[in-house]
Amino acid sequence: MANLGVKFGKVDFKNPVVMASGTFGFGREYNEIYDIQKLGGVSSKGLTLEKREGNTGMRVWETPSGMMNSVGLENPGVQGFIDNELQFFKELDLVRIANVGGGTLEDYIKGVELLNNQPIDMIELNISCPNVKAGGMAFGIKNEVAREVVREVRSITDLPLVIKLSPNAEDIVGMAKVCEEEGADGISLVNTFKALAIDIHKRKPVFDNIYAGLSGPAIKPIALRMVHEVSKNVDIPVMGMGGITSAKDAIEFIMAGSTCIQVGTANFINPKIGLEIIDGIEKFMKAEGIKTLDEIRGIL
């Protein structure tokens, strides 16, 4: 009998499939399509201290084997989430992850403090947003800047703390080590790649913000390599993501060292992709005689 359950630090997941922040809202809309409680977890839409309207102009742009986005962290703010979304979120029988971003260190601290006594299971601290002018990216490039924000947030919360890393970091392995040194309970990676699209007829960038975040199958081989490098160099668990669109992709990330995997862009292609990936992993395990995912995790 295949057991899909995994333990991420002290948190138990019924299966390793988590819906990535920014692609699943707070789960309410997808729950109208299928029972999302069959998933292992959901990472909320990225929350900032104050409500954000997001970026102007084009927000999503299709690319070969991928997608670019410049949403700009549109969200109701942490308090808006608590007041209007948390009731639904807290009743879900899965691991509930609050993704938190910010433009300043103070924003991160105040946002997490507001979430401290709320019914969530984990904080995913986003220090890696390339699609906003102020937020995330400044903290996700240099190791010592990341060290400060992780240290300060760790000091004010007892919730499991996962740090979401940028593939644009100067040294992603070094950054993961810094996060571990400062008390992070886990690492999630990779976020989108900083990218550019140009409208040749208008002779200007497609996005008002000029640069945007590239995701989807196009980034998978690079994301897989980074997950492998990081998981080999830290002792805390990793959530791997980047172009996962099938059970095969998910299994590759687990073999590269991921404890859990996150699915993002694929939700826009197939809203039920999470269920298909869970089913595919289970079928693979049965066919291969694998009882638990521990048997294949990090085998490379």
Side-chain angles (χ1 to χ4, degrees):
M1 190 74 177
N3 178 8
L4 272 69
V6 297
K7 198 171 189 68
F8 191 95
K10 296 180 180 179
V11 181
D12 291 314
F13 287 75
K14 67 182 73 171
N15 62 66
V17 180
V18 178
M19 296 296 103
S21 175
T23 67
F24 210 72
F26 302 106
R28 194 186 299 271
E29 295 81 7
Y30 282 88
N31 200 48
E32 295 176 2
I33 301 171
Y34 69 94
D35 181 8
I36 65 172
Q37 295 178 107
K38 293 179 180 179
L39 299 168
V42 170
S43 184
S44 77
K45 188 168 183 56
L47 301 169
T48 51
L49 182 60
E50 303 296 338
K51 178 180 178 179
R52 285 194 181 183
E53 299 300 330
N55 292 335
T56 59
M58 185 69 67
R59 290 192 170 192
V60 176
W61 188 257
E62 189 173 355
T63 66
S65 296
M67 182 185 84
M68 293 173 67
N69 90 85
S70 183
V71 175
L73 289 180
E74 178 186 354
N75 76 97
V78 175
Q79 192 60 52
F81 164 70
I82 293 169
D83 294 340
N84 302 308
E85 303 289 349
L86 189 56
Q87 183 62 38
F88 170 80
F89 204 57
K90 78 175 186 179
E91 292 175 356
L92 295 174
D93 179 23
L94 44 68
V95 177
R96 300 151 300 178
I97 306 169
N99 180 284
V100 180
T104 68
L105 178 57
E106 186 178 41
D107 285 351
Y108 278 107
I109 292 171
K110 288 182 178 180
V112 172
E113 283 178 336
L114 286 172
L115 293 166
N116 264 340
N117 298 312
Q118 303 300 331
I120 57 173
D121 302 303
M122 187 179 291
I123 296 284
E124 183 178 46
L125 202 69
N126 183 5
I127 61 171
S128 56
C129 271
N131 58 353
V132 288
K133 289 181 178 177
M137 198 65 173
F139 298 96
I141 297 298
K142 295 186 179 295
N143 291 356
E144 292 312 305
V145 179
R147 182 186 297 279
E148 182 183 14
V149 69
V150 176
R151 177 188 295 156
E152 292 298 322
V153 172
R154 175 76 286 170
S155 73
I156 55 97
T157 187
D158 292 325
L159 284 166
L161 182 63
V162 178
I163 313 301
K164 189 168 186 177
L165 301 188
S166 168
N168 306 294
E170 289 180 342
D171 173 12
I172 200 162
V173 171
M175 182 163 289
K177 288 181 177 180
V178 162
C179 294
E180 180 178 26
E181 290 168 7
E182 296 302 331
D185 298 295
I187 301 293
S188 64
L189 74 156
V190 298
N191 206 333
T192 55
F193 285 76
K194 190 176 183 180
L196 171 67
I198 296 172
D199 185 325
I200 61 171
H201 301 290
K202 293 182 179 178
R203 304 181 186 185
K204 57 187 283 189
V206 166
F207 296 100
D208 286 357
N209 211 28
I210 303 179
Y211 302 119
L214 174 66
S215 61
I219 73 169
K220 186 194 124 185
I222 310 173
L224 193 63
R225 183 263 298 172
M226 290 183 169
V227 165
H228 182 252
E229 289 178 336
V230 167
S231 64
K232 291 291 184 184
N233 284 281
V234 296
D235 293 322
I236 51 178
V238 169
M239 287 195 190
M241 72 195 89
I244 296 174
T245 62
S246 66
K248 176 180 177 294
D249 292 335
I251 292 163
E252 287 183 43
F253 272 83
I254 293 167
M255 288 183 173
S258 297
T259 296
C260 296
I261 60 95
Q262 292 192 16
V263 181
T265 302
N267 283 306
F268 302 129
I269 303 167
N270 176 4
K272 293 184 178 180
I273 191 64
L275 294 183
E276 293 182 13
I277 290 174
I278 293 166
D279 183 58
I281 293 173
E282 184 173 23
K283 287 179 178 176
F284 173 80
M285 291 175 70
K286 289 178 178 178
E288 297 284 327
I290 299 166
K291 293 183 179 179
T292 73
L293 291 171
D294 291 338
E295 296 175 34
I296 60 170
R297 182 175 302 109
I299 62 171
L300 305 185

